[in-house]
Amino acid sequence: MEGTLMALHPTPIATTGATHTAQQFRMMIKDLARGNQGVTTGLDLKVSALATPGAGVQIGNGSATIAGMVSPVQGHYNAYNIGVDSVEISATGGTARSDMVILRVEDPEYEGTHAPDTEPTVFWQVIPNVSSSATTVPAGYSAIPLARIDIPASTATITNAMITDLRKVTNPRRERILYPYYFPGPLVEISGTSETWKTFPTPVMATIPIPAWAASVKIAYTVCGIRLADGNIWGNFRYMLGSVEAYQYVGIDDNQGNAARRQTVQMIDTIDLRTTAGAAMRGTNQPFYSRMRTRSSNGGKIGADGTTTFNIDVEFTEGPL
């Protein structure tokens, strides 16, 4: 059988006049996928409720790469869904049930009885009665998980609230950009004990384009040479991107009295671009703000001047949308 070939293949792909086997193309897909599998982009093959919720789900347009699991030299497959398809989901009885929707390949060269000329060798499959925490397909399946449907007892209508997205992007796109900001001066300061977050030291430090494909953004934000003076300092530091303020923050805590001194502060946080506010920013340009506040025990001033610099290190990552 072709699938048992173990020697070096004598003819590389794209050799003029040569004959290439299906296995060669599957191995090339594996190489291009870097051995990974999943959907091609974050929008592909998303499972959602039917337009009019009922006893099934719909699967969106898109493509995927699926690893053959029967043989170590089976390679990978590409599959495409053109348009929107639907899959039936059985109603539950007196107890709740979880089903998993997968995209599966059964290549008759390795398994199954599907004849490629007359039957689909790639198909949707609903695996019933999986664990309510299941995220992977059964062992040995040449398949990728798309969604888990957690169905309450005595239910025949599937809603989006019952659907857990299990898709992974085969090779997620990443984009990393460094935005340096050099504060021009003169010296500006905040002081007091109000504990109210302020945009400081300047209204906008950068305008950042948010890729339409990004599912999250991780930002490492650093200030070098922040000026502390006129008393013991207790404050906080973080950033804001568009309308979303970072959840985490770091402390500016310095008990060195009245003498002026300099400090470096860094914080890192991730913003989910799949929330309502995050999704509204995808595909747009968004302002980046520095945010600081003093605390109730603060006794001095936090300042920035011409020797204060800011580094905004931004990395976008693709994922299911």
Side-chain angles (χ1 to χ4, degrees):
M1 288 180 63
E2 179 184 314
T4 62
L5 179 64
M6 298 298 289
L8 176 67
H9 200 284
T11 308
I13 285 288
T15 301
T16 301
T19 298
H20 304 302
T21 66
Q23 184 186 41
Q24 278 185 280
F25 283 100
R26 292 194 303 269
M27 297 304 285
M28 182 176 68
I29 294 169
K30 177 183 177 182
D31 293 342
L32 295 175
R34 295 184 293 179
N36 299 320
Q37 64 173 355
V39 296
T40 304
T41 77
L43 294 172
D44 288 354
L45 307 184
K46 183 172 183 176
V47 178
S48 58
L50 298 172
T52 300
V57 294
Q58 62 183 9
I59 303 173
N61 182 72
S63 62
T65 302
I66 302 169
M69 301 301 293
V70 180
S71 166
V73 292
Q74 188 172 349
H76 283 43
Y77 301 84
N78 275 127
Y80 297 84
N81 184 42
I82 307 300
V84 177
D85 209 349
S86 61
V87 176
E88 292 184 2
I89 303 293
S90 300
T92 54
T95 58
R97 189 185 75 240
S98 293
D99 293 352
M100 184 180 291
V101 180
I102 69 173
L103 178 59
R104 185 175 182 182
V105 170
E106 281 193 351
D107 183 342
E109 183 180 341
Y110 299 92
E111 61 176 328
T113 59
H114 296 270
D117 292 339
T118 59
E119 300 176 276
T121 55
V122 61
F123 49 91
W124 318 117
Q125 184 173 349
V126 178
I127 303 175
N129 292 308
V130 301
S131 165
S132 60
S133 61
T135 58
T136 58
V137 302
Y141 276 36
S142 299
I144 58 170
L146 299 178
R148 190 183 67 244
I149 319 297
D150 300 311
I151 316 164
S154 304
T155 299
T157 298
I158 306 302
T159 65
N160 283 324
M162 303 174 193
I163 300 173
T164 298
D165 193 350
L166 300 179
R167 296 172 303 148
K168 292 184 178 180
V169 176
T170 302
N171 287 307
R173 283 172 280 187
R174 294 180 181 272
E175 182 178 289
R176 185 177 179 185
I177 307 173
L178 179 65
Y179 296 88
Y181 179 79
Y182 301 93
F183 188 71
L187 174 66
V188 291
E189 296 173 310
I190 58 172
S191 60
T193 58
S194 71
E195 301 213 0
T196 299
W197 285 101
K198 302 176 177 66
T199 296
F200 180 82
T202 192
V204 178
M205 287 190 168
T207 299
I208 299 177
I210 314 295
W213 48 259
S216 66
V217 55
K218 182 179 292 182
I219 300 178
Y221 180 41
T222 307
V223 55
C224 301
I226 192 169
R227 188 177 188 273
L228 311 178
D230 298 340
N232 296 332
I233 302 298
W234 188 24
N236 294 137
F237 169 81
R238 68 181 179 189
Y239 65 82
M240 185 172 181
L241 179 63
S243 63
V244 179
E245 192 137 19
Y247 177 76
Q248 300 291 337
Y249 58 83
V250 297
I252 304 172
D253 188 359
D254 186 308
N255 297 317
Q256 296 187 43
N258 293 327
R261 60 271 187 196
R262 300 282 175 167
Q263 190 177 93
T264 294
V265 185
Q266 182 182 72
M267 64 87 59
I268 302 173
D269 199 14
T270 299
I271 291 178
D272 188 346
L273 296 174
R274 296 170 296 187
T275 64
T276 300
M281 295 196 294
R282 296 199 308 262
T284 67
N285 296 327
Q286 293 294 324
F288 181 94
Y289 308 96
S290 177
R291 301 282 283 169
M292 296 190 195
R293 68 175 178 180
T294 54
R295 303 305 300 268
S296 60
S297 297
N298 179 63
K301 297 176 181 177
I302 303 171
D305 61 14
T307 63
T308 308
T309 62
F310 297 82
N311 297 316
I312 309 162
D313 192 347
V314 181
E315 183 178 49
F316 296 100
T317 303
E318 186 175 20
L321 298 174

